[in-house]
Amino acid sequence: MGFFTKLMFGIYLFFVVHGRPDMIEEEILDEILYNYNKLARPGTIEHPTVKVEHGVNLIKIEECDGKTLKAMTWLPIAWTDPRLAWSLDFYDLDALTLPSDLLWTPDIVLYNSPSSHAGNAYNPRVYIFNSGSLSWYPPTTITTNCEGSEIDNTVIFCLMRFGSWSYHGRALDIVLSSDFVDTEDYIEHPEWEYVNSTAYKAVQMYACCPEAYPYVMYNITLRRRDNSQSYNVETNLPHSINGVIESEESKYNVNSDTAVLDKDSNTYQTNNTISGKGSDTDNTDSGGK
Ligand SMILES: *[C@@H]1O[C@H](CO)[C@@H](O)[C@H](O)[C@H]1NC(C)=O
Ligand SMILES: *[C@@H]1O[C@H](CO)[C@@H](O)[C@H](O)[C@H]1NC(C)=O
Ligand SMILES: *[C@@H]1O[C@H](CO)[C@@H](O)[C@H](O)[C@H]1NC(C)=O
């Protein structure tokens, strides 16, 4: 046999003995997706209620007119599907990702949106961990309503209410992953300043049905900056002593406490680490109201 023939024979023997190359991810998928029916909610006899953790990462305010807020968000959603667990004793891989349309996913919607749907910009893959827990971060452009503050006319509260559209609370229980909106990746807006936020869980009853429908509500406080145009219009009104004091104080706050202009990115950077926890030294009672 010539060298080439020997080589080909060797390669042939290799595949006869070893089969296809081992692919851990494919073996895991063969196991977890075998007989998987994505229409079935992952409630079990032992844990009949699927618990879904929900959060809001505020990324960017796109438009705000004081009554309606359009914002880019990521909505971290986490739950457990025991069918998708695998053992690390057999497979040396602790996580993988799959397109969400292959799996059961919770039908969480924004209830109070003026537009008909929350508008998922992009449907990303779901992270699956070997324990069967799943994490999903769909980026979503949200349009929602804001109400004005009665104490301070530069402040608005924008509300986002999320819940399952079809499952009642014994089938799907939505829970908060945090008591406020996450602003770690937030890009400041030149006109509206993010002040703080709160989040709470509540339950809605409907006339149709005996079951309770849980939901989570996020309440984001925004303040119109005093360097924005509409504020300048207001300061051109006849100057009362109170008005002058108020605008001086607001300028002081914007410049020294809350925002610095980042020259590289040309965006505002806040140093607001409180995110809705009570340490706010705001000036709602310093203006002349
Ligand atoms: C939103 O928060 C503000 C201030 O914390 C509060 O006055 C307002 O009632 C809240 N709105 C809702 C619907 O929770
Ligand atoms: C943010 O606040 C911390 C603590 O108050 C301070 O040490 C830090 O220098 C501040 N950073 C900026 C960019 O102002
Ligand atoms: C958030 O800020 C608003 C306006 O300054 C204030 O009325 C409210 O009490 C603050 N809420 C929290 C939880 O700090």
Side-chain angles (χ1 to χ4, degrees), residues 147-151 155-159 196-198 200 217-221:
E147 53 192 34
S149 159
E150 285 167 10
I151 311 160
V155 167
I156 56 171
F157 305 110
C158 301
L159 304 170
N196 62 31
S197 61
T198 52
Y200 60 87
M217 177 79 102
Y218 300 87
N219 184 345
I220 300 177
T221 310

Side-chain angles (χ1 to χ4, degrees), residues 176-195:
L176 288 168
S177 55
S178 158
D179 291 339
F180 47 86
V181 168
D182 188 333
T183 52
E184 202 181 320
D185 303 298
Y186 178 61
I187 302 160
E188 280 286 339
H189 187 268
E191 183 179 357
W192 292 95
E193 176 200 350
Y194 170 84
V195 179

Side-chain angles (χ1 to χ4, degrees), residues 201-266:
K201 180 182 167 175
V203 158
Q204 173 83 49
M205 304 298 296
Y206 293 100
C208 68
C209 325
E211 301 285 355
Y213 286 77
Y215 63 88
V216 291
M217 177 79 102
Y218 300 87
N219 184 345
I220 300 177
T221 310
L222 301 178
R223 180 185 283 124
R224 199 189 285 269
R225 295 180 196 279
D226 68 351
N227 56 358
S228 69
Q229 274 184 336
S230 43
Y231 192 93
N232 289 338
V233 170
E234 279 176 31
T235 56
N236 287 338
L237 294 172
H239 287 191
S240 69
I241 289 174
N242 274 348
V244 172
I245 290 172
E246 182 174 54
S247 67
E248 300 253 317
E249 277 194 6
S250 308
K251 275 190 193 110
Y252 174 78
N253 280 342
V254 167
N255 291 337
S256 65
D257 282 328
T258 48
V260 286
L261 190 62
D262 179 341
K263 295 196 184 62
D264 292 331
S265 65
N266 217 13

Side-chain angles (χ1 to χ4, degrees), residues 8 34 39 43 50 70 81 145 174 208 218 241 246 281 288:
M8 292 316 285
Y34 178 72
L39 300 179
V50 178
K70 185 175 172 197
D81 188 334
N145 293 320
I174 188 167
C208 68
Y218 300 87
I241 289 174
E246 182 174 54
T281 57

Side-chain angles (χ1 to χ4, degrees), residues 3 9 15 25 51 56 72 78 87 114 131 140 159 210 268:
F3 173 73
F9 187 64
F15 277 107
E25 195 160 324
K51 199 192 255 189
V56 171
M72 200 181 126
S87 168
S131 60
T140 305
L159 304 170
Y268 286 90

Side-chain angles (χ1 to χ4, degrees), residues 12-258:
Y12 168 77
L13 261 190
F14 177 85
F15 277 107
V16 167
V17 174
H18 295 276
R20 298 169 67 200
D22 284 344
M23 296 181 74
I24 300 176
E25 195 160 324
E26 192 172 63
E27 289 170 13
I28 294 171
L29 291 179
D30 284 348
E31 181 180 322
I32 64 179
L33 294 182
Y34 178 72
N35 270 348
Y36 183 88
N37 182 345
K38 68 178 182 182
L39 300 179
R41 188 179 56 85
T44 59
I45 306 276
E46 203 185 2
H47 300 288
T49 306
V50 178
K51 199 192 255 189
V52 176
E53 276 185 40
H54 190 271
V56 171
N57 281 33
L58 183 64
I59 305 299
K60 192 175 167 213
I61 294 173
E62 293 191 342
E63 284 166 35
C64 182
D65 61 5
K67 301 236 167 6
T68 306
L69 167 70
K70 185 175 172 197
M72 200 181 126
T73 62
W74 298 341
L75 302 175
I77 299 174
W79 69 99
T80 296
D81 188 334
R83 293 169 290 185
L84 301 177
W86 66 89
S87 168
L88 293 181
D89 296 342
F90 298 115
Y91 305 108
D92 185 20
L93 185 69
D94 60 4
L96 51 82
T97 69
L98 281 183
S100 62
D101 58 5
L102 295 179
L103 304 172
W104 180 90
T105 51
D107 62 337
I108 307 296
V109 300
L110 179 67
Y111 268 76
N112 62 326
S113 176
S115 61
S116 57
H117 65 104
N120 281 25
Y122 162 67
N123 189 3
R125 294 164 76 95
V126 182
Y127 287 85
I128 307 174
F129 301 94
N130 70 285
S131 60
S133 66
L134 292 91
S135 293
W136 194 26
Y137 303 90
T140 305
T141 300
I142 274 170
T143 305
T144 196
N145 293 320
C146 308
E147 53 192 34
S149 159
E150 285 167 10
I151 311 160
D152 180 345
N153 64 9
T154 65
V155 167
I156 56 171
F157 305 110
C158 301
L159 304 170
M160 299 177 183
R161 176 181 159 181
F162 293 92
S164 166
W165 188 251
S166 59
Y167 292 115
H168 58 63
R170 282 190 301 116
L172 191 156
D173 189 19
I174 188 167
V175 297
L176 288 168
S177 55
S178 158
D179 291 339
F180 47 86
V181 168
D182 188 333
T183 52
E184 202 181 320
D185 303 298
Y186 178 61
I187 302 160
E188 280 286 339
H189 187 268
E191 183 179 357
W192 292 95
E193 176 200 350
Y194 170 84
V195 179
N196 62 31
S197 61
T198 52
Y200 60 87
K201 180 182 167 175
V203 158
Q204 173 83 49
M205 304 298 296
Y206 293 100
C208 68
C209 325
E211 301 285 355
Y213 286 77
Y215 63 88
V216 291
M217 177 79 102
Y218 300 87
N219 184 345
I220 300 177
T221 310
L222 301 178
R223 180 185 283 124
R224 199 189 285 269
R225 295 180 196 279
D226 68 351
N227 56 358
S228 69
Q229 274 184 336
S230 43
Y231 192 93
N232 289 338
V233 170
E234 279 176 31
T235 56
N236 287 338
L237 294 172
H239 287 191
S240 69
I241 289 174
N242 274 348
V244 172
I245 290 172
E246 182 174 54
S247 67
E248 300 253 317
E249 277 194 6
S250 308
K251 275 190 193 110
Y252 174 78
N253 280 342
V254 167
N255 291 337
S256 65
D257 282 328
T258 48

